[in-house]
Amino acid sequence: MKKFINSVDELVQDSIAGLVTAHEDLLSLNETPLFVCRRTPKQSRVALVSGGGSGHEPLHAGYVGFGMLDAACPGEVFTAPTPDQIVAAAERVEAGQGVLMIVKNYAGDSSSFQVASEMLELECATVLVNDDVAVEHSTHTTGRRGVAGTLIVEKMIGAAAEAGANLYECKSLGGRVNANTASMGVALTSCTVPEADAPTFAIDAGEMEVGVGIHGEPGRYRRPLMPADDIVALLLEPILKDLGLAAGSAVLLHVNGFGGTPLIELNLLNGIATRRLRAQGLQVKRWLVGNHTTSLEMAGASLTLTALDDELTALWDATVTTPSLRW
Amino acid sequence: MKKFINSVDELVQDSIAGLVTAHEDLLSLNETPLFVCRRTPKQSRVALVSGGGSGHEPLHAGYVGFGMLDAACPGEVFTAPTPDQIVAAAERVEAGQGVLMIVKNYAGDSSSFQVASEMLELECATVLVNDDVAVEHSTHTTGRRGVAGTLIVEKMIGAAAEAGANLYECKSLGGRVNANTASMGVALTSCTVPEADAPTFAIDAGEMEVGVGIHGEPGRYRRPLMPADDIVALLLEPILKDLGLAAGSAVLLHVNGFGGTPLIELNLLNGIATRRLRAQGLQVKRWLVGNHTTSLEMAGASLTLTALDDELTALWDATVTTPSLRW
């Protein structure tokens, strides 16, 4: 796999530095240990810290800024950040109202954030995101994986924290958004981690991996490639089964690309998914379409639905100023 | 090449419909002939119309909105829009101050916009963008190609038109931004047009195409893949030669992905390019990093520099509210 890279050892550090360079008005970089935080700290508010393996850009560092995260801790590619990164980031951004950690449900991430919260002499709480309905347990998790729904949790808690919600309220909201959110993805190609000689998994020219994880880990099954219409139906079925929405329910639809799928295809998927959801009596009220929670250069996409009420809609609509989400 | 697609014939129409669905607050869709325009028309201002072949998303429809384009006309994949699309779009968005057409320099696009402007009974002018320094003439052009610098031209003219500049001033500004802008790209993989059985060009596992066009057309030469540092140097050299900037000049740096290159790599390129430009005595003052002017799922990237003065910086910084550029 051909990549733009100098050295595997410096990829993450250099890429994060390049991100901060392009957004020096919004972000500050801490090189050792590595984290990104807001340039202008929040005052007297709950501080939100997230992080996880690199290779999922713009998640999480691309969502640091007003109305979303206070800090993000990037691990090596597909590797959890270390507790010392999280401790240093939390100590930097804590503003007198405690620290909420937003963690995707993977064994490595959970463990690092857990250790960090025990090391910190600060009031801490954690929201665990596990929106992936593809598998009940996986190679990297006990329980469901956290995938593209994570940014929705981060956006909504971010808006609440900015408006002055306390630590308990932010944690409770995060649990509610996570429970209202379900995702499922499909891969057309594998990805290749920079230090590996070969793709993470092998997939035939005419096949797709249904329910794939964001590290290329196995999903539910292989199937011959289908028309986009049928793929959307295949992804929506388990999502809707999981959420069990009443007719007329309002939803946010997030069409996420895995890094190697261009916008022309994601926009197509969005049109199809919106039509299908409306035909099933749901009100699609908000959309997010793009490569947001990626798996390096994997071709593929996931669909995420979040059930909306007036409160969650207002939190989604609230002003956000980050490198990769801005309105 | 595996793609999310239903049918080749309906790809462009369905993808554009999916874009408009996700941005119904900003955009209106005209199905026949196909164009996208602002939902809320501009009043008493110069109307800006662009367009070109599909496969370069988000260019151009993703840049329709406040502070940028009034309408965009998508052709079939890598095929110019037809004059009737352009005529219909121009008639819809004209607001008493004439129409400025922003056109990438390709034979098909130039011809369609030229025919349309002759058919229109409106005051019309054209800005031709030809920022690609890779080749002096190409398979699809007489003269240099228009590539990723196009969105910079669209953004700056968009801000000026919004502020009330007249048709002559907008055209003159467009010429100045184009003259101040230079781009050069490199491809690591080919792209595959949806109706084709095979990639547009063949490229070996260890090779890159230096100076590639955004339709996969040939560039300057093939070379074995190099470290990112050396690739950046290779791209910047002809750009800087073309612009001939004095030491201390201020520039905007746009790192553009071709669709299949993930953000982790584009951020890396941005850090390297910024360091190199600063080492050469230039002031990098503004940045745009992302997959903006794409070639379907091609892996690769281009660098674009625009020489800035106070006027151009203010036009770049002005508020913009479009699906893919927003601040």
Side-chain angles (χ1 to χ4, degrees), chain A residues 123-300:
Chain A
E123 201 183 359
C124 288
T126 299
V127 170
L128 209 61
V129 184
N130 65 348
D131 56 311
D132 188 348
V133 300
V135 291
E136 203 43 58
H137 300 287
S138 78
T139 40
H140 299 309
T141 59
T142 303
R144 298 179 359 176
R145 303 172 295 213
V147 291
T150 311
L151 87 82
I152 298 169
V153 175
E154 292 176 353
K155 169 68 182 81
M156 290 182 178
I157 303 180
E162 210 70 64
N166 67 30
L167 185 60
Y168 171 79
E169 292 163 339
C170 287
K171 177 180 164 65
S172 164
L173 171 71
R176 190 159 84 82
V177 177
N178 180 55
N180 277 17
T181 299
S183 300
M184 174 106 170
V186 56
L188 308 188
T189 69
S190 178
C191 53
T192 303
V193 294
E195 65 269 32
D197 293 330
T200 302
F201 63 94
I203 184 163
D204 284 348
E207 275 192 334
M208 59 184 184
E209 173 79 28
V210 181
V212 70
I214 56 172
H215 312 89
E217 63 269 43
R220 289 188 172 192
Y221 49 78
R222 292 286 168 92
R223 183 166 281 197
L225 186 64
M226 299 157 76
D229 250 338
D230 299 331
I231 294 174
V232 168
L234 207 63
L235 298 181
L236 285 180
E237 192 272 332
I239 291 172
L240 291 170
K241 187 173 166 201
D242 181 77
L243 292 177
L245 301 169
S249 296
V251 295
L252 180 163
L253 168 62
H254 173 28
V255 178
N256 174 57
F258 285 149
T261 290
L263 202 50
I264 188 171
E265 297 178 42
L266 300 179
N267 283 335
L268 178 83
L269 294 175
N270 183 60
I272 296 168
T274 302
R275 271 199 306 278
R276 284 195 167 266
L277 292 166
R278 287 178 170 165
Q280 293 185 48
L282 295 170
Q283 297 182 64
V284 189
K285 294 229 169 169
R286 295 293 183 274
W287 293 263
L288 182 68
V289 181
N291 283 287
H292 282 279
T293 299
T294 61
S295 306
L296 297 166
E297 70 288 329
M298 183 189 283

Side-chain angles (χ1 to χ4, degrees), chain B residues 52-57 59-60 77-79 104-106 109 129 131-132 134-135 138-141 145-150 183-187 190-191 193 200-201 211-219 256-259 292-298 300-302 304:
Chain B
S54 293
H56 305 304
E57 292 69 23
L59 198 72
H60 298 270
V77 171
F78 295 170
T79 304
K104 299 193 298 301
N105 187 36
Y106 296 98
D109 292 311
V129 183
D131 55 310
D132 188 348
V135 292
S138 79
T139 40
H140 299 310
T141 58
R145 303 174 294 214
V147 291
T150 310
S183 300
M184 176 107 170
V186 57
S190 179
C191 53
V193 294
T200 302
F201 64 93
V212 71
I214 57 172
H215 311 89
E217 63 269 43
N256 173 58
F258 286 148
H292 281 278
T293 299
T294 62
S295 305
L296 297 166
E297 71 289 329
M298 183 189 284
S302 61
T304 299

Side-chain angles (χ1 to χ4, degrees), chain A residues 2 6 15 188 229 264-265, chain B residues 2 4 6 15 188 229 264:
Chain A
K2 290 180 276 189
N6 282 328
S15 177
L188 308 188
D229 250 338
I264 188 171
E265 297 178 42
Chain B
K2 290 181 276 191
F4 293 112
N6 283 327
S15 177
L188 306 189
D229 249 338
I264 190 172

Side-chain angles (χ1 to χ4, degrees), chain B residues 224-268:
Chain B
L225 186 64
M226 298 156 75
D229 249 338
D230 299 331
I231 294 174
V232 168
L234 207 63
L235 297 181
L236 284 180
E237 192 273 332
I239 291 171
L240 291 170
K241 187 172 166 201
D242 182 77
L243 292 176
L245 301 168
S249 296
V251 295
L252 180 163
L253 168 62
H254 173 28
V255 177
N256 173 58
F258 286 148
T261 290
L263 201 50
I264 190 172
E265 297 178 41
L266 300 179
N267 283 335
L268 178 83

Side-chain angles (χ1 to χ4, degrees), chain B residues 46-49 90 94 97-101 120 122-126 167:
Chain B
V46 173
L48 306 182
V49 177
E94 207 272 341
Q97 301 296 316
V99 177
L100 185 65
M101 299 177 178
L120 281 163
L122 295 169
E123 201 183 359
C124 287
T126 299
L167 185 59

